[in-house]
Amino acid sequence: MDKFIVDGGVRLTGTVDISGAKNASLALMPACLLAPGTFTFRNTPNNRDLWTMSRLLGSMGVEMHLDGDVLTLDGSHLTSHEAPYDYVKQMRASIYVLGPLVARYGEARVSLPGGCNFGPRPVDLHLKGLEKLGASIEVEGGYIIAKADRLKGNHFHFDISSVGASVNIIMAAVLAKGHTTLTNVALEPEVTSVIDMLVSMGAKISGVGTTTLEIEGVDELRNTDVSTIPDRIEAATFLIAAAMTKGDVNVRKVAPQHLTAVTQALEDAGCTLDIGTDNIRISMDRNPDPVDITATIYPGYPTDSQAQWAAFMLTSTGAARIKDTIYPTRFGYVPELQRLGADIETGEGYCVVKGGAKLTGATVMSSDLRASASLVMAAMIAEGQTEILRVYHLDRGYEALEHKLGALGAVIRREKTEEF
Ligand code: UD1
């Protein structure tokens, strides 16, 4: 296993380029199962979740080729309609193959994902939505078995706004016979990017950008060429890290319109932001004012950036409350930050970070992807050296994080470690 060794007391300065969005790529790639031919995905990020999705699609017979950040996939000759547990246990987004497989091939066998490090994460809406479109669903031996002669359009309301369920059901409805109305569809940019891709494949979808979609099913779709949107969570991580180290960083290749909740919070904290069309320059020359945030659905503050905000608030001049309405138990990073000396209290669905406590290097453990980012950030301002174990969590979603941070002045290196 790998660990990071980080020396504290740095100031980040310079320019960083943001990669394509992991969560968008994971949703776009399985759409290649909906039509024959070669699909081209540009600005594809290079991280562990992407490799897992590539291997999963490869195991089903999808042919692929990667040239820099251009990925081509061709699912014309599928050999299997199954997503085995070995892949799904590594990455929940494997469930995205479910909708396309049932819609196009009339059958799918996908392992149930189970829980995750920040609480129970059901997939009931994915299954209810497919049932509403006429699929029969059984769960047997830990696997979802979905079948349908041909899906039929219907009305489905998402009781909870869900990124994953929205993506899965939209991908299924585009090939269903007749008209589908979906209500309370998630508005996250990753969902919209899938809709845009489907439209470019010949899908008939109206209401894009609203929570109600009207979809007229088509008999077949065609291959396409898409560019992955910038990763708003990676961008948020670099913006917050820059501010936290009282740095001055130009974060390039971003979509500022996807980051308004984060940039607003940074401005409220006292940071200076210069927002361009595809870059954001941030600078900070003092300790931030405490700013409360509530992680909620888009365009609200993203749950995937709340751990990073908690780390930032360790340097604030007061107390800030971090609340997560999406995953109320997503505070696994708190005990690890406390090992560095952080003063944080937790309550039900929130924590309160009190700024100003002295942080000193220690050995800490990553518990999930974004929690790991908050540990790296805290380590950069702690006195002395911090070891962050199990950085495989980080590698799931950040491309070359240590190199990008290192280029901005962070003192961070990766080492192999033996864990008992
Ligand atoms: C996606 C993101 C993840 C992010 C999350 C919320 C990917 C690969 N992952 O995850 O990084 O943290 O959105 O922005 O894009 N829910 C149900 N039943 C369901 C589905 C979801 O109750 O069938 C609940 C979840 O437990 C959660 C809420 O709905 O409380 C939102 O989850 P959802 O948007 O589905 O998250 P994911 O798509 O899994």
Side-chain angles (χ1 to χ4, degrees):
M1 269 190 241
D2 289 2
K3 66 179 174 187
F4 277 162
I5 299 172
V6 180
D7 286 343
V10 295
R11 175 171 182 262
L12 300 185
T13 55
T15 298
V16 63
D17 287 343
I18 296 305
S19 303
K22 167 185 88 86
N23 286 350
S25 266
L26 292 177
L28 296 172
M29 289 164 69
C32 80
L33 300 171
L34 286 165
T38 302
F39 287 72
T40 304
F41 301 88
R42 301 177 193 278
N43 198 30
T44 304
N46 183 354
N47 56 52
R48 221 161 57 95
D49 273 8
L50 261 288
W51 307 338
T52 306
M53 181 59 86
S54 300
R55 293 207 322 272
L56 167 62
L57 293 172
S59 78
M60 294 165 50
V62 174
E63 287 170 22
M64 69 189 68
H65 180 73
L66 182 65
D67 182 6
D69 65 1
V70 181
L71 173 72
T72 56
L73 297 178
D74 186 340
S76 301
H77 307 289
L78 278 205
T79 49
S80 142
H81 303 148
E82 175 168 326
Y85 181 58
D86 278 350
Y87 296 104
V88 183
K89 74 173 187 221
Q90 290 178 50
M91 189 190 65
R92 300 173 51 84
S94 307
I95 198 167
Y96 282 151
V97 300
L98 183 63
L101 285 176
V102 192
R104 179 135 181 261
Y105 296 96
E107 59 173 14
R109 193 167 180 271
V110 176
S111 170
L112 267 174
C116 79
N117 289 348
F118 44 95
R121 289 175 74 181
V123 290
D124 56 316
L125 288 170
H126 300 241
L127 306 188
K128 280 183 198 155
L130 285 177
E131 273 180 332
K132 205 70 194 270
L133 297 180
S136 73
I137 308 272
E138 278 174 44
V139 176
E140 209 180 278
Y143 277 76
I144 303 158
I145 298 160
K147 291 190 180 147
D149 285 341
R150 169 138 190 219
L151 295 176
K152 290 186 193 62
N154 205 337
H155 175 207
F156 182 67
H157 177 78
F158 297 91
D159 291 335
I160 298 174
S161 180
S162 159
V163 172
S166 298
V167 166
N168 232 339
I169 304 309
I170 295 166
M171 288 197 288
V174 289
L175 281 182
K177 191 170 176 58
H179 191 89
T180 297
T181 303
L182 300 177
T183 46
N184 200 25
V185 175
L187 291 176
E188 272 70 3
E190 294 75 20
V191 178
T192 307
S193 74
V194 172
I195 299 173
D196 291 343
M197 172 173 172
L198 294 170
V199 169
S200 76
M201 292 166 64
K204 294 196 175 136
I205 307 176
S206 60
V208 184
T210 74
T211 55
T212 299
L213 294 181
E214 304 290 348
I215 301 175
E216 200 57 50
V218 295
D219 291 337
E220 51 186 32
L221 294 163
R222 56 181 178 269
N223 56 337
T224 190
D225 183 324
V226 289
S227 188
T228 311
I229 57 171
D231 196 311
R232 62 195 170 102
I233 306 302
E234 187 195 9
T237 303
F238 277 97
L239 288 169
I240 299 169
M244 185 167 174
T245 61
K246 299 198 182 82
D248 183 348
V249 173
N250 188 13
V251 183
R252 299 192 306 194
K253 292 193 173 182
V254 297
Q257 68 275 22
H258 296 162
L259 282 156
T260 50
V262 174
T263 49
Q264 184 61 57
L266 286 164
E267 278 176 344
D268 292 347
C271 303
T272 303
L273 273 79
D274 184 3
I275 302 178
T277 47
D278 62 357
N279 78 300
I280 302 174
R281 181 172 172 181
I282 184 163
S283 61
M284 184 63 164
D285 54 9
R286 62 175 176 87
N287 289 340
D289 299 331
V291 174
D292 298 345
I293 52 127
T294 298
T296 181
I297 57 174
Y298 187 82
Y301 192 94
T303 171
D304 288 351
S305 305
Q306 59 94 338
Q308 296 89 314
W309 193 261
F312 182 34
M313 288 295 107
L314 292 171
T315 63
S316 88
T317 52
R321 188 179 152 105
I322 320 286
K323 189 173 174 199
D324 196 326
T325 62
I326 312 265
Y327 297 114
T329 56
R330 196 175 194 176
F331 294 96
Y333 58 84
V334 170
E336 300 303 313
L337 289 178
Q338 285 167 335
R339 288 179 57 75
L340 298 175
D343 185 357
I344 308 180
E345 276 170 25
T346 45
E348 200 132 308
Y350 70 91
C351 72
V352 176
V353 180
K354 293 182 189 147
K358 182 170 184 267
L359 302 184
T360 22
T363 300
V364 293
M365 178 102 75
S366 304
S367 56
D368 75 61
L369 166 54
R370 308 303 171 182
S372 321
S374 76
L375 298 179
V376 172
M377 290 162 63
M380 288 194 296
I381 57 154
E383 196 179 285
Q385 199 166 71
T386 297
E387 279 193 336
I388 299 156
L389 305 180
R390 303 198 180 171
V391 296
Y392 61 82
H393 287 293
L394 251 162
D395 293 335
R396 286 189 52 190
Y398 289 96
E399 179 173 337
L401 184 72
E402 72 269 38
H403 299 304
K404 287 190 182 183
L405 281 174
L408 295 174
V411 183
I412 176 169
R413 65 178 195 275
R414 180 185 291 263
E415 275 187 11
K416 293 264 170 248
T417 180
E418 293 283 322
E419 273 193 44
F420 304 100

